[in-house]
Amino acid sequence: MIAMLAATPAMAQQVRLGAGSVVGVEPAQVGSTTTPELSPFADPASPLGRYALLLDEQPGQPLTLEQARAHLAAGDFRRSTVDIPNLGNRSPPRWLHFAIDNTQPAARDYRIYVAEGWTDRVDAWLIRAGEIRLHWQGGDERSPSHYLRPGIGFAFDASLPPGPSELFLRVDSVDSVALAPRIVALADASELEGAAQHWLGLVHGFLLALVVTYGLLWLTLRETSLLRYVAYVASYLYMHLAYSGIAAHALWPDSPAIGRFAILVGMTLFASSGIAFARQFLRMRQWAPRLDRTLAWLVRLALAAMAIFVVANAQGPAVDFAFAYIMAFTLLMVAFGVLGVRHRQDQAKLFLVASLISMIGAMVATLAVMGKLPFNAVTFRAIEIGVMTEASIWALALGLRLRRDREGRVRALQLAQHDPLTGLLNRRGFLDRALPALKTASSAATPLAVIMLDIDHFKSINDQHGHDAGDRTLVAVAECLRDLVSSDGLIARWGGEEFVILLPAMPQTEAVATAERLRARLADLTVILSDGREIRLTVSLGIAISTTATGLEDLLRQADDALYKAKQAGRNRAEIWAPLEMGAAE
């Protein structure tokens, strides 16, 4: 035992704890008689994985602490080269050893952070002078929330006496786990955890705002793309709540059976909803129907597979499937964007940019954890930054698409209710607006006038000069009517060479004067053709005045009867509908 302890300082790198909670690290120098200077971290909460010694168990041959110490003495542990060692999917349990030297004159309380919050089992032994001073156990398979610090991982508190100590860690997890060991003075732990909580609050608040905003838009507009976007963002929000540990604290604090699959289900839902959103956003059914059907079946099979794994309690296959599925999803989203751009799909470039940003964020975070990039708050959180940026770009794209679609619907409605030649209301557009106007006039007990106008001998214009001349005549009459009729009036091309005008709040005398003014103005109108020829025209008009009992159909029929009377009387005149006279004529 004495030989074992004597060998440890020569092999291990030291974690030296100084005043002011500054953590310094140095490699022990074999055979050196000088003491290297303390190397302080810029951030006292930096991961210490680089200064650990590592040993992987043989599959199916778990080691006890005493056996692990014997391996350490025999030189079987290897030096770590990264700040955050990784335990891959289905990897054998891993041991970590730290040689700690507290250079302070008295014992001090520290919080020791060990592994991510989804680690299945983690054990820690603090050894002083060959004796076990503390044995701590945590992990998702023991209690998902106990000892779990949201956003950071499992941690335990320990009092480290002055002088050398040893820390052994054993980590066992079916899932891939990033081991980011930290030793932080207990008085400063709240600052580290507070920063993590603030970041989580920002991420979750941002995502929740998107879910609520676009969820309400979907309830209002019932656009399928909105619903799929909400499902995508909501699934990522759930997955993030699960792997950050907040959901474990709130929903399954002491339920390992739930915690075992919660993140894996979230990963499957996230990838599936992302594929569903991509299909809808890029409108794949239109330009790649076979691919669209294949992806639809892929999503169904993926959800069914994860459901089977959960029911069968097959955690290992579920882990393999979830990680493979989400990696394929990340690459597929970029491929979808490329295909969309090649097929000239609307907003496919925005989709591609968003997908690339998300993929780059995932790559940066992975490389930072692997030690290939500097590990800091930005690189470690790059995946979250990437997904939030992606979600924001897609939200912008959806907003732009909704605005354009609304403008398109407005234009379609405009075309459906307007005459394409003259730009005036057509019969449908006039009726849609005239009914409310008549109802308002009836409620206010005010008169309303309808004037029916017909171009005299219009057929002869077409016969003598051609249909282009007829069209020019109709357009000229329409422009003249716009100039003469007040803004609160309605003007429509009723059909052929017939026009109808509705004038609210207009008694009979003013209606007759208005009709006469229209007739005189149009009689002076000259239509110049493309070949320089001129056309002169006259119009006949029929006037009807509403009463409280007059319906729109009756009013239009009365104006048409008055127009017929003007035609019969020689044209180029205005007549008002008179019940007694019409009755006598009949």
Side-chain angles (χ1 to χ4, degrees), residues 331-354:
L331 298 175
L332 280 173
M333 293 298 272
V334 175
F336 295 158
V338 172
L339 287 174
V341 171
R342 290 182 59 185
H343 285 82
R344 302 181 182 277
Q345 288 303 297
D346 178 44
Q347 296 181 323
K349 291 181 179 179
L350 274 178
F351 182 93
L352 177 59
V353 169

Side-chain angles (χ1 to χ4, degrees), residues 392-543:
S392 300
I393 293 175
W394 285 351
L396 173 64
L398 282 173
L400 292 173
R401 177 173 290 183
L402 287 174
R403 187 183 72 176
R404 193 192 55 222
D405 289 348
R406 188 182 69 172
E407 291 173 349
R409 285 192 291 269
V410 169
R411 285 195 297 271
L413 181 62
Q414 186 84 357
L415 291 173
Q417 295 195 337
H418 286 76
D419 173 51
L421 176 63
T422 63
L424 298 177
L425 293 171
N426 59 18
R427 185 183 292 259
R428 174 183 173 182
F430 178 83
L431 293 175
D432 286 347
R433 290 163 174 76
L435 284 170
L438 185 62
K439 184 177 180 180
T440 300
S442 178
S443 300
T446 56
L448 180 145
V450 170
I451 299 175
M452 195 77 75
L453 180 151
D454 184 86
I455 301 174
D456 295 330
H457 304 295
F458 182 75
K459 185 176 182 298
S460 64
I461 295 177
N462 280 329
D463 293 342
Q464 295 177 24
H465 304 284
H467 288 284
D468 179 66
D471 290 346
R472 286 175 179 267
T473 301
L474 292 171
V475 171
V477 171
E479 291 176 353
C480 187
L481 295 179
R482 285 194 191 93
D483 292 339
L484 295 177
V485 175
S486 61
S487 59
D488 58 346
L490 298 178
I491 313 170
R493 183 182 175 193
W494 199 242
E497 68 274 20
E498 250 185 355
F499 298 82
V500 64
I501 304 165
L502 183 144
L503 301 169
M506 181 166 288
Q508 178 174 312
T509 54
E510 291 185 23
V512 171
T514 299
E516 184 59 32
R517 189 164 58 252
L518 291 174
R519 185 202 63 79
R521 177 68 177 273
L522 290 170
D524 292 335
L525 180 66
T526 301
V527 180
I528 301 176
L529 303 181
S530 57
D531 58 4
R533 290 179 296 167
E534 296 181 353
I535 294 177
R536 303 296 296 270
L537 59 95
T538 61
V539 298
S540 301
L541 303 98
I543 309 163

Side-chain angles (χ1 to χ4, degrees), residues 207-224:
L207 296 173
L208 183 60
L210 289 177
V211 169
V212 172
T213 301
Y214 282 81
L216 292 174
L217 276 175
W218 173 76
L219 288 173
T220 303
L221 303 176
R222 300 293 178 174
E223 292 278 353
T224 305

Side-chain angles (χ1 to χ4, degrees), residues 31 240 292:
H240 198 276
D292 184 73

Side-chain angles (χ1 to χ4, degrees), residues 39 41 45 171 204 219 230 292 313 360 416 442 448 524:
S39 176
F41 277 138
V171 182
H204 298 155
L219 288 173
V230 169
D292 184 73
N313 196 27
I360 291 170
S442 178
L448 180 145
D524 292 335

Side-chain angles (χ1 to χ4, degrees), residues 146-284:
H146 200 43
Y147 301 118
L148 178 60
R149 310 292 171 177
I152 302 179
F154 289 105
F156 66 95
D157 297 339
S159 178
L160 298 179
S165 301
E166 289 183 272
L167 176 64
F168 278 88
L169 302 174
R170 182 183 185 273
V171 182
D172 179 14
S173 188
V174 176
D175 306 61
S176 177
V177 173
L179 309 176
R182 299 176 175 94
I183 302 177
V184 181
L186 190 59
D188 299 325
S190 60
E191 182 178 351
L192 173 64
E193 294 176 13
Q197 291 292 332
H198 291 156
W199 171 254
L200 292 177
L202 173 64
V203 173
H204 298 155
F206 179 82
L207 296 173
L208 183 60
L210 289 177
V211 169
V212 172
T213 301
Y214 282 81
L216 292 174
L217 276 175
W218 173 76
L219 288 173
T220 303
L221 303 176
R222 300 293 178 174
E223 292 278 353
T224 305
S225 58
L226 290 175
L227 180 60
R228 295 191 179 186
Y229 175 78
V230 169
Y232 174 77
V233 178
S235 62
Y236 181 74
L237 175 59
Y238 161 73
M239 184 177 71
H240 198 276
L241 287 168
Y243 76 67
S244 66
I246 292 179
H249 274 282
L251 301 177
W252 53 84
D254 297 304
S255 302
I258 297 176
R260 191 175 301 141
F261 292 99
I263 299 174
L264 303 176
V265 170
M267 294 166 67
T268 306
L269 290 174
F270 174 61
S272 297
S273 59
I275 292 173
F277 172 74
R279 291 172 51 221
Q280 179 69 28
F281 184 86
L282 295 173
R283 293 168 178 160
M284 289 186 186

